[in-house]
Amino acid sequence: MARFYVTTPIYYVNDAPHIGHAYTTVTADGLARWHRLLGDEVLFVTGTDEHGLKMKRAAQANGLSPKEQADVYSARYEEAWALLDISNDDYIRTTEPRHHKAVRALMQAVYDNGWIYPGTYSGLYCVDCEGYYTETDLIDGLCPVHRRPVEFMTEENYFFRLSAFADRLVEWYSDQPGAVTPESRRNEALGIIKGGLQDISVTRSTLDWGVPVPWDEDHVFYVWYDALINYATVAGYGTDDGRFKKWWPAVHHLIGKDILRFHCVYWPALCMAAGIEPPRRVSVHGYLLVRGEKMSKTAFNQIAPADLVADFGVDGYRYHFLRDQSFGPDGEFSYEGMAARYNADLANNLGNLLARVSAVVAQKCGGIGPAPRPESPLAPLASDVYDAAAAAWEKVAPSDALEAAWRLVRAANAALEEAEPWRAPPGPEVDAVLGDALEVLRIVAVLASPALTRASAEIWRRIGLTQPIAEARLPDAGRWGGYPGGLAVERGGPLFPRHRD
RNA sequence: GGCGGCGUAGCUCAGUUGGCAGAGCACUCGGCUCAUAAUCGAGGAGUCGUCGGUUCGAGUCCGACCGCCGCUACCA
């Protein structure tokens, strides 16, 4: 059985979940669901990143312990994912014992292999970034990202000999040409590597909220390196060797372009230093722009998933982000665009197809759905559509996969116009056309189920199928002719009521 | 400053190795009335950022420029 291990970044808890976080998570969920349909053994994980100075200070401000603060914040992400029907198999929090074990074991291996040395670091530090800046980075003496004062800090800490890995990284990139996609991001990572890598500080001695360094317990690991290791933790690193061998290195990371440097340069190097293989695949996506601008706290243009779910439902939400935002480049998000897509694809095309078919089946077939024609004119298209959808998911292009499925929806609507079964007397010809339409509904429900977690099951139920759609297995379930006929078809209310503003 | 990307129909975006400009939405006209003012058909629509070059032929290749963005650097 094939295996599929897919991850989202673990989100830093000092922020409310917004549609940018959810975009990565929903895409990963769609991929996980597609692979489950294929019968793959799937490990899909998301979680939260909970250490660091910023968390410690937030806790102090609220009179809580850092762990209590992290519990509150982490729960917000879990709620958001529950709301969006995210089907993660595990949820990793960096404060868990298993993660501390993994971080300590992995970094100890790096240390034992001679890639870590003690040093002194001093500079201007931005607490919000958890990072150092040079004078020239600052804007008006403030952090360029957060526009807040920086602090001069000096600390004894440990450095990772990143500079020693430039050649091996370049070699890795040439051996694994598809490891980082899209190609422009791969080139960007190579640019960073070829531009010269400096050793990086991987510990902090001025902070106690983190994973203690095993060979020097007064230090904790810098939150970024702690965080990256979560992907190994989940696979069993440091706690379950058998499990780790099973899932590593065939891991597929989904990330936003803002953290490319960490995932495509530092993380592979750290893996090499620890003596494990770098991740097999990293897919990088762009930003969701709101009126041409990146979403940010300071721009006050962050959008909460719950607000959109309230207006479009979970299916409407997931469909929009998977279908309308192509994975890779930046994409423009607009409420109006979302509403237009919802009405066109979900209400008018798919929802209305179900409504008209079930109405005519009630009138002409006594409510019993006929079987499709084996030699239906729609059959070849259905085959093409399945191939296109499978290829699209394979290259992490959910929008192409869904676009393909809707070609079949449009063809079914057109075929009905052509045959006009509502004008014809009951009989074999009417049965043939309606059977074909029901078969399209069955197939589209399967192909769209990674996006439409609820409507897909409802379509199956209404056309009389009793098997849970989650148990459907591709490619068989996508082949023409699977609808048996002779099933009671329910005439229900609108599957996707039109959106009006 | 260096490296890289982007700029295509009103909107959101596709355009593989150069070969008659595409999709969806929106819009216009027509058909249909089973259906959620739905659906089907037809149609208009673009100096492919600007200028120049290579070529029989350039959205695509080359150069310059304008605008937006990303990464990176501060060295004379």
Side-chain angles (χ1 to χ4, degrees):
Chain A
M1 186 193 298
R3 298 198 182 100
F4 184 68
Y5 175 22
V6 61
T7 70
T8 75
I10 50 173
Y11 304 104
Y12 199 69
V13 286
N14 192 22
D15 194 5
H18 58 64
I19 59 174
H21 301 115
Y23 177 62
T24 317
T25 307
V26 167
T27 302
D29 186 66
L31 279 168
R33 288 174 183 270
W34 178 260
H35 279 269
R36 290 193 193 105
L37 285 173
L38 291 174
D40 294 352
E41 187 177 5
V42 171
L43 177 60
F44 162 37
V45 188
T46 185
T48 45
D49 178 12
E50 307 182 1
H51 291 128
L53 189 52
K54 211 185 323 187
M55 273 300 295
K56 175 152 182 168
R57 291 194 176 171
Q60 281 169 342
N62 293 328
L64 299 171
S65 71
K67 180 61 167 64
E68 288 168 337
Q69 183 70 60
D71 288 345
V72 172
Y73 283 145
S74 186
R76 294 197 299 198
Y77 281 88
E78 289 192 272
E79 284 163 20
W81 306 151
L83 174 71
L84 297 178
D85 281 354
I86 301 303
S87 64
N88 51 302
D89 302 293
D90 198 348
Y91 187 82
I92 176 74
R93 299 182 55 187
T94 55
T95 47
E96 294 176 60
R98 61 170 170 162
H99 183 63
H100 281 229
K101 280 184 193 159
V103 170
R104 286 162 67 89
L106 192 142
M107 294 305 281
Q108 182 72 52
V110 177
Y111 184 78
D112 292 344
N113 289 336
W115 300 116
I116 287 180
Y117 63 93
T120 304
Y121 199 99
S122 62
L124 299 167
Y125 192 79
C126 171
V127 174
D128 290 300
C129 299
E130 301 276 15
Y132 284 96
Y133 285 96
T134 63
E135 293 278 0
T136 51
D137 291 330
L138 304 180
I139 297 172
D140 301 329
L142 303 174
C143 162
V145 177
H146 296 90
R147 302 301 173 95
R148 293 170 60 116
V150 294
E151 303 169 22
F152 186 80
M153 292 177 72
T154 297
E155 49 181 321
E156 293 296 314
N157 47 30
Y158 292 92
F159 284 76
F160 169 51
R161 215 176 286 279
L162 177 66
S163 59
F165 287 86
D167 291 345
R168 288 179 62 182
L169 285 168
V170 170
E171 195 179 323
W172 180 66
Y173 270 91
S174 56
D175 290 349
Q176 311 271 337
V180 174
T181 55
E183 197 174 348
S184 57
R185 298 297 169 199
R186 175 180 184 271
N187 292 338
E188 194 173 320
L190 273 170
I192 293 170
I193 295 161
K194 289 177 176 168
L197 298 176
Q198 303 203 330
D199 294 346
I200 46 181
S201 163
V202 293
T203 65
R204 293 288 181 270
S205 55
T206 52
L207 175 71
D208 59 4
W209 182 235
V211 180
V213 174
W215 62 86
D216 189 341
E217 298 276 346
D218 292 336
H219 295 232
V220 297
F221 287 108
Y222 175 45
V223 62
W224 251 112
Y225 304 97
D226 155 10
L228 286 167
I229 294 168
N230 93 84
Y231 305 122
T233 302
V234 170
Y237 190 92
T239 53
D240 185 340
D241 287 349
R243 179 177 164 83
F244 188 71
K245 283 195 181 73
K246 175 177 172 181
W247 292 107
W248 200 268
V251 57
H252 189 158
H253 297 316
L254 261 51
I255 65 166
K257 65 181 183 181
D258 50 328
I259 51 178
L260 176 126
R261 163 185 297 273
F262 292 95
H263 286 78
C264 302
V265 181
Y266 299 173
W267 176 228
L270 202 60
C271 289
M272 291 172 183
I276 64 174
E277 279 188 59
R280 187 68 50 81
R281 204 168 162 196
V282 182
S283 297
V284 187
H285 67 76
Y287 294 139
L288 298 180
L289 306 177
V290 178
R291 281 186 287 277
E293 285 191 29
K294 184 190 170 188
M295 271 190 306
S296 69
K297 280 187 192 170
T298 48
F300 294 108
N301 58 0
Q302 291 187 343
I303 298 166
D307 293 342
L308 297 175
V309 169
D311 290 357
F312 298 99
V314 175
D315 286 329
Y317 183 99
R318 296 173 58 102
Y319 185 79
H320 170 75
F321 286 100
L322 289 171
R323 169 65 184 88
D324 239 3
Q325 300 290 339
S326 65
F327 190 93
D330 290 354
E332 188 72 29
F333 170 82
S334 79
Y335 187 90
E336 295 72 21
M338 184 173 181
R341 173 67 70 182
Y342 173 92
N343 279 341
D345 285 10
L346 297 181
N348 297 350
N349 288 350
L350 179 60
N352 186 56
L353 176 64
L354 177 66
R356 66 195 309 205
V357 168
S358 53
V360 182
V361 166
Q363 285 173 26
K364 303 288 182 179
C365 311
I368 303 301
R373 288 171 284 185
E375 302 299 321
S376 166
L378 293 173
L381 176 63
S383 176
D384 290 349
V385 160
Y386 173 74
D387 291 345
W393 282 109
E394 177 53 36
K395 61 177 190 180
V396 195
S399 64
D400 291 346
L402 292 169
E403 188 278 331
W406 258 255
R407 296 208 306 262
L408 195 50
V409 175
R410 284 192 288 270
N413 274 318
L416 285 175
E417 289 299 323
E418 175 74 26
E420 298 187 309
W422 46 87
R423 303 183 71 162
E429 288 186 27
V430 164
D431 288 354
V433 174
L434 293 174
D436 287 356
L438 287 161
E439 174 63 341
V440 165
L441 285 164
R442 185 193 67 81
I443 291 172
V444 168
V446 175
L447 297 183
S449 65
L452 307 179
T453 55
R454 301 182 182 191
S456 59
E458 176 65 4
I459 290 169
W460 267 37
R461 194 189 65 73
R462 287 199 197 176
I463 64 176
L465 296 168
T466 52
Q467 181 198 19
I469 194 165
E471 291 175 13
R473 285 293 168 267
L474 297 171
D476 286 1
R479 288 209 176 96
W480 187 265
Y483 185 70
L487 304 177
V489 173
E490 176 179 318
R491 199 176 169 185
L495 191 62
F496 298 103
R498 276 182 66 85
H499 178 82
R500 299 166 206 285
D501 51 13

